[in-house]
Amino acid sequence: MPVIRTLTKVAKQALLSTPGCGCQPLTVAVRNISFSPRQVTSDASFHSVSFSETDHPKVLITDLFSNYATLTSFLICRKRFGKNNVILSDIRKPPSNVFHSGPFIYSDILDYKNLREIVVNNRITWLVHYSALLSAVGEANVALARSVNITGLHNILDIAAEHGLRLFVPSTIGAFGPTSPRNPTPDVCVQRPRTIYGVSKVHAELMGEYYHHRYGLDFRCLRYPGIISADSMPGGGTTDYAVQIFHDAIKTGKFECNLKPDTRLPMMYIDDCLRATLEVMEAPADTLSMRTYNINAMSFTPEELTQELQKQMPELEVTYDVDPVRQAIADSWPMNFDDSNARKDWGWKHDYDLPELVQTMLNYFGAETRMARVN
């Protein structure tokens, strides 16, 4: 910056000393080299980083302990792109197996300067933003949900635009509301959610698409159904009953469901979720007819899940104690997703239906139980 200040001074002196010029002294505008989209000019334009087929992206994943993803999925990403090319981050201390598996860094999405330094210092090219408070938890603490889900998103968008990143932000079935078509729910329709979680996700979809059209940000978004995984604990989502039932079935042989037995919601196994995320991130931009897609795999009710599980565990007892808050949320959500655009544009195809899901979950817990007995 001293060079720029010197040039500015010289330019002023030259203008003032020019004979015959009746002009007033001019102020020379000097733009700081460090640019922030928080001060966007009317002709601003951003372009995503491109890399050859032999190059791997440098990926930053926010919120290691997100309810969207699992430690296994992160390790799969490291296997795909190289362990040093996938940086995991959170505000909490990671378990030792994660800490020793590759780069981990402290990051707070509400700290703009901290995030910006991470992106610059690690030459990040892809940013996967998982941080969010889910539906039921968000309703219990709206102020925190607004801060994390909206203010944190604004930081992510600005940094991604500033540094030309490819940005992935997941959305959700919760982005729809009681006036949305429910069976099936198309990609584009009335949304109008009734939870702070859903409102924040609609905000994320629209802001991401705005940054794409206004500044050229390579924004990509998938609306996840309920995600089921064996290696993560339920974290306050309305669809978490579909994970909790497996934990309780193995431990006690009994499960109390907080939704009505006929409550139908779209669901997906974590492996399909991770594969869909990687596929949409790797898809050529010219194949994407939109920036926010529905993805789907299966749709079932608590009663149908119970019946499938009882084929393997006939002694399982399931009772119902309906939580009115969670039930109201579920009743406003889609019963089934129309994901035909994802299947047409970038070839999305799921692998797991309900029988495969149940068998995979039981295999995981069976192996875990045998290992615990050995230990």
Side-chain angles (χ1 to χ4, degrees):
M1 296 307 291
V3 173
I4 295 176
R5 285 195 293 269
T6 300
L7 291 174
T8 303
K9 183 176 180 181
V10 170
K12 284 183 177 180
Q13 291 174 345
L15 289 169
L16 289 171
S17 61
T18 302
C21 177
C23 303
Q24 295 295 320
L26 298 178
T27 300
V28 179
V30 180
R31 249 183 106 180
N32 194 316
I33 293 174
S34 178
F35 169 76
S36 170
R38 295 168 189 269
Q39 301 171 341
V40 177
T41 59
S42 60
D43 60 345
S45 177
F46 303 104
H47 302 281
S48 296
V49 173
S50 60
F51 29 80
S52 70
E53 293 181 357
T54 58
D55 290 333
H56 286 309
K58 195 68 176 289
V59 185
L60 173 66
I61 302 177
T62 66
D63 199 352
L64 169 65
F65 304 107
S66 156
N67 297 108
Y68 286 122
T70 68
L71 302 183
T72 300
S73 67
F74 293 138
L75 299 181
I76 291 172
C77 286
R78 283 183 165 166
K79 186 176 181 180
R80 187 181 187 107
F81 298 125
K83 72 174 187 178
N84 292 322
N85 289 324
V86 179
I87 300 175
L88 309 182
S89 68
D90 208 293
I91 59 173
R92 290 165 287 185
K93 184 172 68 174
S96 59
N97 65 319
V98 173
F99 184 77
H100 294 293
S101 71
F104 176 88
I105 197 165
Y106 171 89
S107 74
D108 179 357
I109 62 164
L110 298 179
D111 186 339
Y112 180 82
K113 182 175 181 291
N114 169 244
L115 278 174
R116 200 175 184 212
E117 288 175 349
I118 291 171
V119 167
V120 171
N121 292 342
N122 294 281
R123 304 184 71 240
I124 299 300
T125 56
W126 285 13
L127 204 165
V128 179
H129 178 54
Y130 277 129
S131 299
L133 264 65
L134 302 190
S135 54
V137 173
E139 291 307 290
N141 194 337
V142 172
L144 181 61
R146 187 176 62 235
S147 180
V148 172
N149 296 9
I150 296 178
T151 304
L153 170 78
H154 292 174
N155 289 339
I156 293 292
L157 284 169
D158 284 348
I159 289 168
E162 177 182 358
H163 296 285
L165 310 184
R166 181 170 296 180
L167 173 64
F168 177 80
V169 179
S171 190
T172 167
I173 55 175
F176 297 95
T179 57
S180 306
R182 298 188 65 210
N183 192 19
T185 303
D187 285 303
V188 180
C189 64
V190 172
Q191 292 184 252
R192 312 293 292 182
R194 294 284 180 85
T195 66
I196 185 61
Y197 174 58
V199 168
S200 69
K201 285 302 181 181
V202 173
H203 179 76
E205 294 175 13
L206 295 178
M207 286 294 290
E209 292 177 14
Y210 172 78
Y211 269 58
H212 169 67
H213 293 295
R214 178 68 175 81
Y215 306 124
L217 173 65
D218 192 353
F219 171 80
R220 304 180 184 209
C221 177
L222 296 178
R223 294 192 187 107
Y224 290 161
I227 304 301
I228 301 173
S229 170
D231 64 343
S232 65
M233 292 299 295
T238 301
T239 59
D240 277 353
Y241 84 87
V243 178
Q244 190 66 55
I245 190 173
F246 289 96
H247 289 274
D248 291 358
I250 297 296
K251 291 179 182 178
T252 67
K254 298 179 180 180
F255 174 65
E256 184 176 87
C257 184
N258 52 29
L259 295 180
K260 294 177 182 178
D262 61 349
T263 304
R264 183 172 299 279
L265 292 168
M267 300 283 187
M268 178 176 287
Y269 185 57
I270 183 64
D271 286 10
D272 277 341
C273 173
L274 173 63
R275 185 168 54 82
T277 303
L278 291 175
E279 286 178 2
V280 78
M281 284 295 281
E282 293 177 329
D286 59 6
T287 66
L288 305 178
S289 64
M290 56 186 64
R291 289 287 155 167
T292 300
Y293 289 90
N294 293 342
I295 53 169
N296 199 21
M298 65 194 93
S299 182
F300 57 75
T301 67
E303 186 174 47
E304 291 170 348
L305 177 57
T306 298
Q307 290 171 353
E308 190 65 37
L309 191 49
Q310 285 174 335
K311 293 177 183 179
Q312 307 280 345
M313 303 181 67
E315 72 283 2
L316 173 63
E317 298 178 13
V318 175
T319 57
Y320 295 89
D321 183 16
V322 176
D323 177 351
V325 174
R326 291 175 191 256
Q327 187 63 52
I329 292 172
D331 289 342
S332 72
W333 283 358
M335 300 169 66
N336 197 15
F337 262 160
D338 175 2
D339 62 354
S340 55
N341 285 314
R343 295 175 186 268
K344 173 173 60 73
D345 287 1
W346 44 275
W348 164 241
K349 183 179 179 181
H350 70 280
D351 288 335
Y352 291 83
D353 288 309
L354 182 55
E356 292 82 8
L357 166 71
V358 169
Q359 190 61 60
T360 301
M361 293 287 283
L362 290 178
N363 289 345
Y364 179 92
F365 284 112
E368 189 180 61
T369 300
R370 289 191 295 273
M371 183 63 70
R373 288 172 181 169
V374 169
N375 290 338

